[in-house]
Amino acid sequence: MQDLLCDPDDLIVDSRHSWMNRADPRQRAWLEVSPAALQSNARNLIGRLVKGCSLMAVVKADGYGHGAVTVAKASIDGGATSLGVATLQEGIELRQAGLQTPILVLGNITDAEDLRACLHWHLMPTINDLTQLLLCESLAKDTGRKFDLQLKFDTGMTRLGYDVNKIPRLIETFNDLTEINLTGIYSHLAMANVDNGNGKANSVTEIQQKKFDFVLREFASRDKGICRHLANSAGTLRNDSLHYDMVRVGLALYGHNPLQSSPQHLDLKPALAVKAKVTMVKDVPSGVGVSYGHQFYTKRKSRLAVVGIGYADGISRALSGKISALFKGRFVPQVGSITMDQLVLDATQCPELRVGSVVTMLGEDGGKCITPQSWSDLTGSIPWEVLCGFKHRLPRLVV
Ligand SMILES: *Cc1c(COP(=O)(O)O)cnc(C)c1O
């Protein structure tokens, strides 16, 4: 995928896709990303943070499918002061795009060459064990440059993170290090987005927070300049006491609230729209089977509209017959199996739909909105996965 400016006379085209120079990116199906929405969300979120707390924009997985560089720049314009990525490669891409903001690599980097690349590109690795820490010390000695890095602790996520019970050994090791610049201490919440009537989710978050506070007390003597952070989007919106010095926000930055019940009014703007064109319209009699497997039969004389987007673009086949498209603020039901490259709408009630009409599969159109949550609820997925699911074949327009 690539970013393109939406002015039709002035499309910025990624050179890796020179074929695009000859074709309108809106020929068939595409993504539209709004930096204005991202910037406004960043601003809005910062306005909710406790005093002194800053915003890390989490732009991993190509900015949740929105384009990492676009998201990073818009978030920084909105006040974000650091960026979070999952992989070394994602970090390098941002540096190569000229971004100089502090970048934390959230994933685990264990290979010496990869850690050396972190040092070279000024990317902060996340340290999860002593071996990594010692490796960083020796790499820094080799190059004569202090290694900025962050420590992650496992407070209950049971994924990455240093064992909270082994902190004395870590501190002992730390005392011998001279080339390490510890810029942050963090942990990750497992249940912050889970609404749970019996309070179990809340108590898990509480226990994680207590463990995190314990870690911070252990490191209190070296607290100078160390950024403490714990909350993802859900933690940020759920409870101010989870904010500490910084919050790491992904989903909410993209305009989606991870909490089912929002405590306060939240004005988040969805930053992504998925659009596609009608490529054929046909009138059919009642009783006609539609698409592979004839999963749908027309129940009346119908007008069907074929749209050029399918599961190879990121609209899961599991959504077949369960979703709608939006056309000028009206919902048009999708019928029959979603195929690799195309899907069919029942446009009987929407006679204005014609070849070349643009429909919105996800996002806002005419005052209505189709959310990633509405899709993920139908398939047992989550909004995060929906957003990351749009594929390379969809050109990305920055609008
Ligand atoms: C992805 C990620 C986040 C952001 O999570 P959201 O729920 O999208 O806000 C924060 N911290 C870490 C460690 C992550 O991996």
Side-chain angles (χ1 to χ4, degrees):
M1 291 194 287
Q2 67 271 33
D3 293 330
L4 303 155
L5 286 180
C6 202
D7 181 345
D9 298 325
D10 185 28
L11 294 170
I12 291 185
V13 179
D14 190 316
S15 59
R16 285 173 303 170
H17 298 269
S18 53
W19 59 271
M20 272 294 177
N21 289 321
R22 276 166 278 119
D24 188 322
R26 287 159 298 187
Q27 182 262 321
R28 171 184 169 266
W30 63 94
L31 304 177
E32 291 183 4
V33 178
S34 163
L38 293 161
Q39 187 182 334
S40 149
N41 293 338
R43 233 181 231 126
N44 186 337
L45 287 158
I46 289 168
R48 293 173 168 270
L49 302 180
V50 298
K51 201 164 164 288
C53 178
S54 64
L55 175 70
M56 168 185 281
V58 178
V59 302
K60 64 193 181 190
D62 203 15
Y64 290 35
H66 297 58
V69 174
T70 303
V71 178
K73 287 180 175 166
S75 312
I76 292 164
D77 289 346
T81 48
S82 63
L83 302 168
V85 297
T87 71
L88 173 61
Q89 203 53 46
E90 289 175 347
I92 293 173
E93 232 167 85
L94 295 175
R95 288 286 180 250
Q96 284 177 329
L99 288 155
Q100 306 199 328
T101 314
I103 297 176
L104 174 64
V105 182
L106 301 164
N108 202 13
I109 299 181
T110 55
D111 185 270
E113 281 316 305
D114 295 340
L115 286 166
R116 197 195 304 277
C118 281
L119 188 58
H120 175 79
W121 289 98
H122 289 274
L123 304 169
M124 290 178 280
T126 292
I127 301 303
N128 296 284
D129 69 28
L130 295 177
T131 317
Q132 270 172 314
L133 186 60
L134 295 169
L135 196 49
C136 288
E137 168 84 358
S138 79
L139 286 167
K141 273 198 173 122
D142 286 353
T143 54
R145 185 198 277 178
K146 293 255 183 211
F147 209 145
D148 286 354
L149 51 75
Q150 303 211 0
L151 286 176
K152 184 174 192 181
F153 292 88
D154 184 4
T155 57
M157 174 71 177
T158 322
R159 195 178 59 176
L160 290 179
Y162 187 82
D163 186 343
V164 171
N165 299 314
K166 295 181 180 162
I167 287 186
R169 259 198 79 198
L170 175 63
I171 291 189
E172 218 172 274
T173 307
F174 234 99
N175 288 335
D176 298 332
L177 304 180
T178 56
E179 309 305 310
I180 299 296
N181 183 25
L182 180 62
T183 60
I185 290 180
Y186 78 102
S187 187
H188 193 41
L189 299 171
M191 303 270 275
N193 65 318
V194 182
D195 279 307
N196 186 320
N198 65 22
K200 180 167 177 286
N202 282 342
S203 74
V204 169
T205 301
E206 240 170 70
I207 291 167
Q208 287 203 261
Q209 185 173 21
K210 285 211 175 87
K211 287 192 182 174
F212 188 59
D213 288 337
F214 165 76
V215 173
L216 297 178
R217 278 196 303 277
E218 294 294 300
F219 275 84
S221 63
R222 17 174 98 244
D223 202 6
K224 278 184 262 0
I226 296 180
C227 177
R228 305 159 301 166
H229 48 109
L230 178 61
N232 51 7
S233 295
T236 302
L237 297 172
R238 189 176 284 283
N239 187 340
D240 287 2
S241 81
L242 298 167
H243 290 183
Y244 296 90
D245 301 320
M246 187 174 79
V247 293
R248 306 182 304 270
V249 176
L251 195 72
L253 181 66
Y254 301 98
H256 309 286
N257 182 0
L259 304 180
Q260 306 285 344
S261 54
S262 188
Q264 305 134 299
H265 174 68
L266 249 184
D267 184 27
L268 296 176
K269 298 177 169 63
L272 183 80
V274 181
K275 300 199 172 176
K277 273 187 186 164
V278 172
T279 62
M280 186 165 198
V281 173
K282 56 180 64 177
D283 292 302
V284 298
S286 181
V288 166
V290 177
S291 188
Y292 287 125
H294 283 184
Q295 299 288 323
F296 174 81
Y297 288 92
T298 55
K299 288 168 199 69
R300 57 184 171 187
K301 242 175 116 245
S302 299
R303 167 161 290 194
L304 303 178
V306 182
V307 178
I309 191 167
Y311 62 73
D313 300 292
I315 304 190
S316 168
R317 189 173 175 281
L319 295 167
S320 294
K322 298 177 175 170
I323 56 171
S324 294
L326 269 172
F327 181 66
K328 297 190 198 301
R330 286 161 63 188
F331 290 99
V332 188
Q334 186 276 319
V335 293
S337 295
I338 293 170
T339 70
M340 189 183 289
D341 317 304
Q342 302 173 76
L343 52 78
V344 180
L345 303 177
D346 181 351
T348 314
Q349 311 272 46
C350 195
E352 313 93 280
L353 259 194
R354 57 193 76 233
V355 171
S357 294
V358 175
V359 296
T360 300
M361 300 306 303
L362 190 85
E364 288 176 333
D365 176 335
K368 300 271 171 37
C369 186
I370 298 172
T371 64
Q373 179 92 46
S374 74
W375 283 11
S376 60
D377 283 349
L378 294 166
T379 60
S381 179
I382 50 172
W384 292 261
E385 190 180 35
V386 169
L387 292 176
C388 297
F390 297 107
K391 305 291 166 57
H392 185 88
R393 190 162 72 179
L394 293 177
R396 201 160 45 206
L397 280 67
V398 178
V399 297

